[in-house]
Amino acid sequence: MEEKSGHLRYRPEMHVTSDRGVLMAPAAALIDGDCWHLFHQYRPAANAAPRWGHQASWDTPYEWETCDDVLAAEGEETLVRAGSVLSVDNGLNLYFTSVTETGTAVHLARIEDPEATTSDISEDPLALDQNVRRVGEVVGNELGAAAGLYDFRSPCVIPGWASETDRAAGLSGWLMLTVTGSQEAPRLAVLRSEDASTWVLEGALRFDGDTGLKEETAIVSPRMIRLRDEVDGEIYDILLVTIEHHGVDISGYLIGKLTGADFAVTTPFQRIDFGHDFTRPRNTNLSDAGDPRWQRGVIFGLVNGVGRFDDPTEHLSLEKESWANAISLPRVISLQGGMLFQTPARGLVEAITRTEAARMWTGLCEIPEGSTLSVDIIDAAGEVAARVSHRGSVLELDRSMNKHHQGDAVASAPLAEGDSDSLTIVADGSVVEVFADGGAVAMASRVYIDAAAPTFRVSAEGGARVENSFERGPETISPVTPDWARPRLGRELL
């Protein structure tokens, strides 16, 4: 395999991948001071049992270091699957799905000293972190028996409200969302706890209002973020979900307010990403959970459009470089008028200049209806590996001309009238992410680009024009972001 200064052709540098094997999903994420902890579910080989890996990055979430794994199946377990991480009493609680021959349950593991997990890393890639202590089952079939709920899995744990009717009263206790029931007809459930260890079932999640989904829709992988809407000033619950539809994942969100187990919907289901490959979005908890502003949140997603139905042996990256799948760049999300906006987390421009091959293009444009601004991503042979087209009211990402993606449908997303016509494209290894109109639309797609470092080619038709633009790559002398691009490119988390 051709390398450039040790950089493999398809492996991204700023996106998290497993060193070897198949990354299955982001499991949990937490920001502890200046340290980002990202836990992910992965298989060390295509046919190996899943484990929880752990990577950390300091200050900005773009230069990840691999730490020892934190969880692997033990005893009667056959698998460990995704869950959540929470900061409790100066340590970390890891909530995860324990799978045995008889079903699934939510288990708890504990890390008393989070800093110790990022030091003294073993040279054995399958070593388990000795700082992780298994506590045991916390939510199982016995807890759900009276309500007819069973096989609890995929837990999301976040701080609870001191008063469900007065959110100005602050936080108290903890809330858990889980999936229950069969794989064919899953249900969501809500639980609460005062100590983050002993849980009480509120009941199956009930929707009040139009969800925008059919009643029989299978919803999995629930996650929740609270945000204050910058228009009306109210704090809302953002329910992130994944829909498994005919073997393909569709991820999105609903906005409303959760009281007990009742979710009052104010915004029905909306796609969260319109690219070919974004699924299983995960929230990011904070070690300082009491931040009162509720202005920002952070999500990660799996760059794979099929999710658990995927066959990793078909991935070119596994064949050529012994790894498959990546986790998206962290996206800072805000709520404006009942709509989520997503932009890359701070530090992206500087991080790109420290890579060996990643590249970014950002432009502020004028694109009247009927015109088109296109940005081609060019490979080493001078061929188009993918094309991003902004048509004023539609954004498209086309990879069908690429020999590795021939015949693929064009990913498209509607754009609202009156939005500022801005565009940011990040190409990092085999991952392309696009943010349009100040973050109103996001797209992530796997694109195998046969180039040590891709280039961009911009063209305009029908009256479209670029008013301001800049490009960043490893050869860039200055990593400074122009003032005009700052509001559209990234927003501070805190």
Side-chain angles (χ1 to χ4, degrees):
M1 190 66 200
E2 179 183 336
E3 298 184 11
K4 178 185 178 183
S5 303
H7 172 64
L8 298 176
R9 179 179 291 173
Y10 298 131
R11 188 189 292 273
E13 298 174 82
M14 299 182 298
H15 292 75
V16 167
T17 60
S18 57
D19 289 344
R20 295 184 66 85
V22 181
L23 197 155
M24 301 170 66
L30 178 121
I31 304 173
D32 184 14
D34 66 349
C35 183
W36 295 66
H37 293 274
L38 183 58
F39 301 93
H40 58 86
Q41 182 189 356
Y42 82 106
R43 297 179 184 269
N47 58 352
R51 303 161 65 93
W52 268 39
H54 175 205
Q55 297 194 30
S57 183
W58 285 263
D59 190 31
T60 60
Y62 299 110
E63 299 176 76
W64 297 94
E65 295 186 12
T66 300
C67 306
D68 289 338
D69 292 350
V70 294
L71 292 171
E74 62 180 45
E76 296 181 353
E77 287 177 337
T78 57
L79 304 172
V80 289
R81 289 181 174 162
S84 190
V85 57
L86 199 67
S87 178
V88 180
D89 296 331
N90 299 316
L92 302 183
N93 281 7
L94 302 180
Y95 301 89
F96 63 97
T97 305
S98 171
V99 184
T100 65
E101 295 292 342
T102 59
T104 63
V106 176
H107 281 222
L108 171 64
R110 176 73 179 168
I111 299 174
E112 297 295 345
D113 183 2
E115 289 188 9
T117 65
T118 62
S119 59
D120 298 325
I121 308 303
S122 172
E123 294 184 2
D124 179 359
L126 296 181
L128 284 176
D129 195 321
Q130 297 302 303
N131 297 287
V132 182
R133 174 178 59 87
R134 290 277 198 124
V135 176
E137 180 181 303
V138 291
V139 178
N141 288 348
E142 184 177 348
L143 189 59
L149 302 177
Y150 62 95
D151 280 354
F152 291 85
R153 57 194 184 273
S154 193
C156 168
V157 183
I158 58 175
W161 295 110
S163 169
E164 291 190 331
T165 58
D166 181 13
R167 297 193 168 188
L171 300 170
S172 178
W174 312 94
L175 180 148
M176 179 188 293
L177 294 174
T178 69
V179 180
T180 72
S182 68
Q183 295 284 353
E184 296 73 24
R187 303 173 69 187
L188 305 186
V190 182
L191 303 97
R192 297 188 186 274
S193 174
E194 292 301 318
D195 60 4
S197 179
T198 303
W199 294 88
V200 175
L201 179 67
E202 290 276 358
L205 182 68
R206 299 175 293 270
F207 290 107
D208 179 14
D210 178 20
T211 65
L213 301 170
K214 295 180 179 179
E215 186 174 346
E216 66 274 15
T217 299
I219 299 175
V220 297
S221 196
R223 297 296 184 269
M224 184 171 284
I225 295 177
R226 282 73 170 264
L227 293 174
R228 187 184 301 277
D229 195 302
E230 297 178 14
V231 176
D232 66 14
E234 292 288 318
I235 299 174
Y236 292 92
D237 298 316
I238 317 300
L239 180 61
L240 307 172
V241 296
T242 296
I243 298 169
E244 295 180 339
H245 181 70
H246 299 306
V248 176
D249 280 3
I250 301 173
S251 295
Y253 63 92
L254 300 94
I255 299 175
K257 292 187 177 180
L258 179 67
T259 304
D262 294 316
F263 190 89
V265 180
T266 56
T267 299
F269 180 84
Q270 307 290 318
R271 288 276 300 268
I272 199 166
D273 186 285
F274 289 84
H276 297 90
D277 296 292
F278 185 93
T279 186
R280 311 280 162 162
R282 304 294 193 231
N283 64 307
T284 301
N285 281 327
L286 306 175
S287 58
D288 179 13
D291 185 285
R293 292 170 288 179
W294 308 107
Q295 297 298 317
R296 306 283 183 268
V298 176
I299 63 171
F300 292 85
L302 176 67
V303 183
N304 183 315
V306 181
R308 69 186 181 94
F309 298 103
D310 182 51
D311 181 359
T313 63
E314 297 180 354
H315 289 218
L316 186 61
S317 61
L318 190 67
E319 174 190 347
K320 299 294 186 181
E321 300 173 1
S322 301
W323 65 275
N325 296 330
I327 295 175
S328 73
L329 295 175
R331 299 177 178 184
V332 177
I333 60 172
S334 58
L335 181 60
Q336 303 173 40
M339 178 179 175
L340 287 188
F341 284 72
Q342 306 171 67
T343 55
R346 65 180 178 86
L348 175 63
V349 175
E350 291 80 2
I352 285 178
T353 64
R354 293 192 292 270
T355 67
E356 294 184 6
R359 191 168 294 276
M360 180 185 72
W361 184 89
T362 292
L364 181 60
C365 318
E366 181 65 32
I367 308 174
E369 189 65 31
S371 66
T372 302
L373 178 82
S374 295
V375 181
D376 291 343
I377 303 174
I378 308 298
D379 66 16
E383 301 294 330
V384 179
R387 174 174 294 140
V388 178
S389 300
H390 194 311
R391 305 185 188 279
S393 60
V394 177
L395 181 70
E396 296 179 346
L397 199 165
D398 184 0
R399 62 184 183 186
S400 63
M401 72 290 290
N402 187 317
K403 66 181 181 180
H404 302 301
H405 305 283
Q406 287 183 351
D408 285 3
V410 177
S412 64
L415 297 171
E417 294 183 9
D419 282 344
S420 61
D421 296 332
S422 62
L423 193 60
T424 294
I425 303 169
V426 179
D428 181 24
S430 54
V431 179
V432 172
E433 296 198 55
V434 182
F435 303 88
D437 293 0
V441 170
M443 286 184 164
S445 292
R446 179 192 297 114
V447 180
Y448 290 117
I449 306 170
D450 290 329
T455 57
F456 296 113
R457 184 173 63 206
V458 182
S459 61
E461 300 176 358
R465 68 179 187 274
V466 177
E467 296 182 341
N468 286 294
S469 69
F470 75 97
E471 189 172 328
R472 294 291 183 265
E475 76 287 351
T476 306
I477 296 175
S478 171
V480 175
T481 305
D483 289 340
W484 61 264
R486 292 181 186 276
R488 297 168 177 84
L489 185 57
R491 309 184 76 170
E492 296 283 346
L493 172 60
L494 297 174

